[in-house]
Amino acid sequence: MGDDERTALEPDELEPDELGGDAACWLGSVCADCGAMIEGPPGTACWRCGGTHREGD
Ligand SMILES: [Zn+2]
């Protein structure tokens, strides 16, 4: 009695892999123009030189 709050589970915490999987595949892209590491989805402009070309493109 009084412990009902302990049984309330957040359904969002059951599948943490859904959030981490996609992020890892586009981390560490290297800018083909200046060599800076670009963090973000494909097409994200380089934070240093503003270019969108990456190593491997
Ligand atoms: Zn760059």
Side-chain angles (χ1 to χ4, degrees), residues 30-38 45-53:
V30 178
C31 177
D33 293 325
C34 74
M37 295 294 290
I38 305 174
C46 174
W47 58 269
R48 179 184 287 173
C49 72
T52 56
H53 295 286

Side-chain angles (χ1 to χ4, degrees), residues 5-29:
E5 291 181 35
R6 287 172 170 272
T7 61
L9 294 176
E10 292 288 334
D12 293 299
E13 294 183 33
L14 297 178
E15 298 185 49
D17 290 334
E18 292 281 328
L19 296 175
D22 287 350
C25 72
W26 45 252
L27 284 176
S29 296

